[in-house]
Amino acid sequence: MSETPETPTAPASGSERAIRATELDAADPLAVVRERFVLDDTVYLDGNSLGALPRTVPGRIADVVAREWGELRIRSWTESGWWTAPERIGDKIAPLIGAGPGRVVVGDSTSVNIFKAVVGGVRMAGKGCTEILVDATTFPTDGYIARSAARMTGLAVRPVEPARIADEVTERTAVALVNHVDYRTGRLNDLPSITTALHSAGALAIWDLCHSAGALPVGLDAHGVDLAVGCTYKYLNGGPGSPAYLYVREGLQERFESPLPGWNSHADPFAMDPGYAPADGIVRGRVGTPDILSLLALEAALEVWEGVSMDDVRAKSLALTDFFLECVDAHVPPGRVRSVTPADHRQRGSQVALQCPGAGEVMDELIRRGVVGDFRHPDVLRFGFTPLYTSFRDAERAARVLGEVLGAQPDAVAPGTAG
Amino acid sequence: MSETPETPTAPASGSERAIRATELDAADPLAVVRERFVLDDTVYLDGNSLGALPRTVPGRIADVVAREWGELRIRSWTESGWWTAPERIGDKIAPLIGAGPGRVVVGDSTSVNIFKAVVGGVRMAGKGCTEILVDATTFPTDGYIARSAARMTGLAVRPVEPARIADEVTERTAVALVNHVDYRTGRLNDLPSITTALHSAGALAIWDLCHSAGALPVGLDAHGVDLAVGCTYKYLNGGPGSPAYLYVREGLQERFESPLPGWNSHADPFAMDPGYAPADGIVRGRVGTPDILSLLALEAALEVWEGVSMDDVRAKSLALTDFFLECVDAHVPPGRVRSVTPADHRQRGSQVALQCPGAGEVMDELIRRGVVGDFRHPDVLRFGFTPLYTSFRDAERAARVLGEVLGAQPDAVAPGTAG
């Protein structure tokens, strides 16, 4: 909102929050990381859908296109390290999700990796197993793909709320496919305890990390997760539709049988052997020729993590979402929105979801006013907080503009100037 | 080879072929298209593995990264046309393979698309079918994936030479998966007659177009092909690992059930419906979030086809390979190489494969001397001829350098100057 000479002094609370935001930004150990991204005056709270552009990417991609493809051409498969990019970049993602080297491979979409993980998991499960549990609140593609995997392996799918999995798992459960953070509400599911409960019943745990990787510590190795998948275009900032990844626990790799055994997963791909023999290790999670432009954009994007501690990321994420909720309380008239994101830190990811009548139109207006979140059917405003580049001032401004859009009489607008 | 003042005049035959090459280039209606690519002094005959860089790509990708991703960010999914890229780019590939609009969708690797096509084909086949025929000379990934599809649908795989398929197909055959052009020998299989034979037996025809699309007319619609897949990084010049495509015949689309029903294939993906309902048309061949950087590089690369006739491409391809074989005969000492590419034009794709003892080392030396082809295990030198940018002078030089490497006494080297 424009301030005019007639504008009276804003109430102390609004000013104080703006001052607090500035102070919090000044004390933020991650504030310097923001400079590693291309940002503008927009408050960008949609990094949980598409991360902002890291400054490392444009120059790297220009070189990949002009020199590696344009000049070296076919030689780049060896000389520019293209062939080994899926596992090399997997090893760069690994520390961000608590995985040792040789456990993560990058390539294909999240949906394709879910298929590999679920079918691969079912094939490693006990012979008497008859069902696949799927997070009842899952992002839809996980459920669609799990049903296809079930159809093709002769099992049934049973949807279960994450909080009920420990009670519902039985000796007939082959695997459970669970979202680490709920895409809609931002609820963080309890990965360690759910994984333990699954193991106690003899089932494998498959986690979808799309909304947690890069936003909070995951600890795949430490918690004994069996298989995991995730995208790289949200908190990992890999670019639109950048390739997803597959994690297979070290002790399971030898038994992992991919349902998509493309030639890149062969023990000796250039032998052109008509008989299939899987490669050792995580390479057997590869399928076809890797998508080099997108892979190498992702590799460049991962440079923003240099020197970043995931504990700092988590601390800032919680501080940002706390502060945003406080500002929403202050700016938005009572009863206009309701947070569906858990207040308990132990159950919160890195987004805030507000139920709001007419959420679609409200988000359109927010975007017109320079605050970009997104709308999720039917009535949710989603605001993602990427600790690497979101500031406390961003959080304060977003809440203030939301209050304006929802028709609060803005603190600082004089009579006669429209809100 | 360097020419020195002492060099005697080359024999008439060598000069005549060099002059013929220049004349053939001057008369080539596609010669102007070469200017649309970034090329250098190398004779690049590996476009059947990785096509050269089209000049349209670097600027387009720089804009996609800096403006569409960097500035518009999430808005580009609608405002920059990202969401519909898979089917829009499919419609741009379609005329190059003889398909009408709405029959081709781009995304995922060739191997993943083979899985969709084979499983989708088996599901549309008669209930009593027990087997999948696979081209016995196939590029290996097709066989690996077909076996996985067979395992997951309860059928068997039977390898059959393409020329024997018409005799071997039975009423128990669900589908046959055949390479249009053999990756090793460059043999062109008879798509129309094999497709007709399969249909006569009630089986579906699935063609792998990796080595034919962009090099010769395919005619998918005209010949009633049921399903097809192909990569886009060979004669379509989409860049390293650029996304592959899936073709589904119009009359089969309503019955096509993908084994990878990701959320992008849903009738209403943003409804976030836990129940799956496939989209109408070729969109149901989509899986997960499309890989935008690689897709849009491919889209820019397809601009090189503006005004190009596939009949001209085919005529030039045959003329180039004929001329190369003639030059090889002239330059290479008898008995040192043997062409495994059919002499008959009706059975020839757009590459020449020469069996040659020590082929790996020979290719290394060719590359050192500026002639880039590739080596295929165990003993094949592969030379791909991309009619859009390969010249007759390229063909003449490649054969001449091959002759030098294979130890012919070069025509034009004086005594005392090393060959």
Side-chain angles (χ1 to χ4, degrees):
Chain A
M1 305 307 298
S2 63
E3 295 192 30
T4 68
E6 296 78 21
T7 303
T9 308
S13 62
S15 291
E16 275 169 14
R17 278 187 302 277
I19 292 165
R20 279 245 321 287
T22 304
E23 290 167 352
L24 288 163
D25 284 334
D28 172 16
L30 296 177
V32 293
V33 181
R34 182 180 170 99
E35 298 307 314
R36 300 178 189 172
F37 291 86
V38 176
L39 293 165
D40 53 25
D41 288 344
T42 303
V43 175
Y44 189 65
L45 301 180
D46 213 6
N48 55 336
S49 187
L50 175 66
L53 172 65
R55 290 191 187 279
T56 44
V57 172
R60 176 70 183 120
I61 281 302
D63 184 59
V64 170
V65 171
R67 188 179 58 82
E68 294 187 5
W69 175 11
E71 294 177 20
L72 297 177
R73 289 183 288 259
I74 196 71
R75 292 163 50 191
S76 277
W77 280 109
T78 47
E79 293 178 31
S80 302
W82 288 357
W83 183 261
T84 53
E87 50 268 24
R88 180 179 73 240
I89 301 170
D91 279 348
K92 292 180 180 181
I93 291 172
L96 304 176
I97 53 178
R103 293 164 207 182
V104 178
V105 68
V106 184
D108 308 306
S109 67
T110 305
S111 296
V112 169
N113 281 294
I114 291 170
F115 189 73
K116 297 178 205 170
V118 174
V119 174
V122 165
R123 288 174 174 176
M124 293 188 282
K127 284 199 187 297
C129 293
T130 57
E131 66 173 12
I132 295 165
L133 302 189
V134 175
D135 180 343
T137 55
T138 188
F139 184 78
T141 211
D142 302 58
Y144 306 158
I145 295 289
R147 279 195 172 73
S148 176
R151 170 181 177 180
M152 299 188 79
T153 53
L155 274 70
V157 160
R158 184 157 62 99
V160 177
E161 297 274 338
R164 298 278 312 151
I165 288 175
D167 294 324
E168 296 281 346
V169 63
T170 76
E171 74 286 355
R172 295 183 311 277
T173 306
V175 302
L177 172 63
V178 197
N179 288 200
H180 194 196
V181 170
D182 187 280
Y183 79 101
R184 202 177 62 86
T185 62
R187 187 190 59 239
L188 172 65
N189 291 315
D190 188 345
L191 181 146
S193 78
I194 294 172
T195 300
T196 300
L198 289 166
H199 288 172
S200 300
L204 298 185
I206 307 175
W207 286 91
D208 178 335
L209 310 178
C210 284
H211 285 272
S212 62
L216 49 92
V218 177
L220 292 179
D221 285 350
H223 301 304
V225 166
D226 301 295
L227 298 132
V229 301
C231 77
T232 61
Y233 45 75
K234 299 180 190 291
Y235 300 103
L236 297 179
N237 314 297
S242 56
Y245 55 86
L246 172 72
Y247 164 92
V248 182
R249 180 158 64 79
E250 194 173 30
L252 292 181
Q253 290 182 0
E254 208 181 330
R255 293 166 54 208
F256 176 74
E257 287 182 81
S258 173
L260 295 167
W263 73 296
N264 275 229
S265 71
H266 195 280
D268 188 2
F270 290 94
M272 303 289 164
D273 184 347
Y276 181 73
D280 285 337
I282 195 63
V283 171
R284 69 175 64 177
R286 289 177 61 163
V287 184
T289 301
D291 188 335
I292 294 302
L293 300 192
S294 297
L295 271 170
L296 299 189
L298 166 62
E299 186 171 34
L302 291 170
E303 292 177 26
V304 300
W305 294 94
E306 177 71 32
V308 171
S309 137
M310 198 57 78
D311 289 336
D312 285 349
V313 168
R314 177 60 171 162
K316 182 175 174 187
S317 163
L318 292 170
L320 276 169
T321 49
D322 276 345
F323 185 63
F324 177 69
L325 285 164
E326 177 193 327
C327 294
V328 167
D329 268 349
H331 284 293
V332 175
R336 295 301 306 274
V337 299
R338 187 176 75 84
S339 172
V340 293
T341 299
D344 182 349
H345 283 182
R346 290 167 303 180
Q347 296 180 40
R348 192 191 301 167
S350 199
Q351 74 180 46
V352 171
L354 303 176
Q355 271 189 329
C356 172
E361 292 72 34
V362 170
M363 185 50 73
D364 288 345
E365 184 57 27
L366 283 172
I367 292 169
R368 270 190 291 274
R369 297 184 189 206
V371 174
V372 177
D374 62 25
F375 160 62
R376 281 295 174 261
H377 190 79
D379 62 354
V380 167
L381 299 170
R382 235 177 36 151
F383 300 97
F385 292 83
T386 300
L388 298 193
Y389 57 75
T390 306
S391 68
F392 291 89
R393 272 171 295 194
D394 285 340
E396 194 275 337
R397 184 173 144 207
R400 184 158 36 86
V401 174
L402 177 63
E404 291 163 6
V405 169
L406 291 177
Q409 195 59 272
D411 297 330
V413 175
T417 62
Chain B
M1 305 304 296
S2 62
E3 294 194 31
T4 69
E6 295 78 21
T7 303
T9 306
S13 62
S15 291
E16 274 171 15
R17 276 188 305 276
I19 292 165
R20 278 245 325 285
T22 304
E23 290 168 351
L24 287 164
D25 285 334
D28 172 15
L30 296 177
V32 293
V33 181
R34 182 179 170 100
E35 298 307 313
R36 301 178 189 172
F37 290 86
V38 175
L39 293 166
D40 53 25
D41 287 343
T42 304
V43 175
Y44 189 64
L45 300 181
D46 212 6
N48 55 337
S49 187
L50 175 65
L53 173 64
R55 290 190 187 278
T56 44
V57 172
R60 176 71 182 119
I61 280 302
D63 184 59
V64 170
V65 171
R67 188 179 58 82
E68 294 188 4
W69 175 12
E71 294 177 19
L72 298 177
R73 289 182 287 259
I74 195 71
R75 291 163 50 192
S76 277
W77 280 108
T78 47
E79 293 178 30
S80 302
W82 288 356
W83 183 261
T84 52
E87 51 268 25
R88 179 179 73 242
I89 302 170
D91 280 347
K92 292 180 179 181
I93 291 172
L96 304 176
I97 53 178
R103 293 164 207 181
V104 179
V105 68
V106 184
D108 307 306
S109 66
T110 305
S111 296
V112 169
N113 281 294
I114 291 169
F115 190 73
K116 296 178 205 170
V118 174
V119 174
V122 165
R123 288 175 174 176
M124 293 188 281
K127 286 201 187 295
C129 292
T130 57
E131 68 173 12
I132 295 166
L133 302 188
V134 176
D135 179 344
T137 54
T138 188
F139 184 78
T141 211
D142 302 58
Y144 306 159
I145 295 289
R147 280 195 171 75
S148 176
R151 171 181 175 178
M152 299 189 79
T153 54
L155 275 69
V157 160
R158 184 157 60 100
V160 177
E161 297 273 339
R164 297 277 313 149
I165 288 175
D167 294 323
E168 295 282 346
V169 63
T170 76
E171 73 287 355
R172 296 183 311 279
T173 306
V175 302
L177 172 64
V178 196
N179 288 201
H180 193 196
V181 170
D182 186 282
Y183 79 101
R184 202 177 61 86
T185 62
R187 186 192 59 238
L188 172 65
N189 292 313
D190 188 344
L191 182 146
S193 80
I194 293 173
T195 300
T196 299
L198 288 166
H199 287 173
S200 298
L204 297 185
I206 307 175
W207 286 91
D208 178 336
L209 310 177
C210 285
H211 284 273
S212 62
L216 50 90
V218 177
L220 292 180
D221 285 350
H223 301 303
V225 167
D226 300 295
L227 298 131
V229 302
C231 78
T232 61
Y233 44 76
K234 299 181 190 291
Y235 299 104
L236 297 178
N237 313 297
S242 57
Y245 56 86
L246 173 71
Y247 165 91
V248 182
R249 180 159 63 77
E250 194 173 31
L252 291 181
Q253 290 182 0
E254 208 181 329
R255 294 166 53 207
F256 177 73
E257 286 181 83
S258 173
L260 295 167
W263 72 295
N264 274 230
S265 71
H266 195 280
D268 188 3
F270 289 95
M272 302 290 163
D273 185 349
Y276 181 72
D280 286 336
I282 195 64
V283 171
R284 69 174 64 178
R286 289 177 62 162
V287 184
T289 301
D291 189 335
I292 294 301
L293 300 191
S294 297
L295 270 171
L296 299 188
L298 167 62
E299 186 172 34
L302 291 170
E303 291 177 27
V304 300
W305 294 94
E306 178 69 34
V308 171
S309 137
M310 198 57 78
D311 289 336
D312 284 349
V313 167
R314 177 61 170 161
K316 183 175 174 188
S317 163
L318 292 170
L320 276 169
T321 48
D322 276 345
F323 185 64
F324 177 69
L325 285 165
E326 178 193 326
C327 294
V328 166
D329 267 351
H331 284 293
V332 175
R336 294 301 305 274
V337 299
R338 186 176 76 84
S339 172
V340 292
T341 298
D344 182 347
H345 283 182
R346 291 168 302 180
Q347 295 180 41
R348 191 192 303 168
S350 200
Q351 74 179 46
V352 171
L354 303 176
Q355 271 189 331
C356 172
E361 293 71 34
V362 171
M363 185 51 71
D364 288 345
E365 184 58 27
L366 283 172
I367 291 169
R368 269 191 290 275
R369 298 185 187 204
V371 174
V372 178
D374 62 24
F375 160 63
R376 282 294 173 263
H377 189 80
D379 62 354
V380 167
L381 300 170
R382 230 175 41 148
F383 301 97
F385 292 83
T386 299
L388 298 193
Y389 56 74
T390 305
S391 68
F392 290 89
R393 272 171 294 194
D394 285 340
E396 194 274 337
R397 184 172 143 207
R400 185 158 35 87
V401 175
L402 177 63
E404 291 163 6
V405 169
L406 291 177
Q409 194 62 271
D411 298 330
V413 176
T417 60

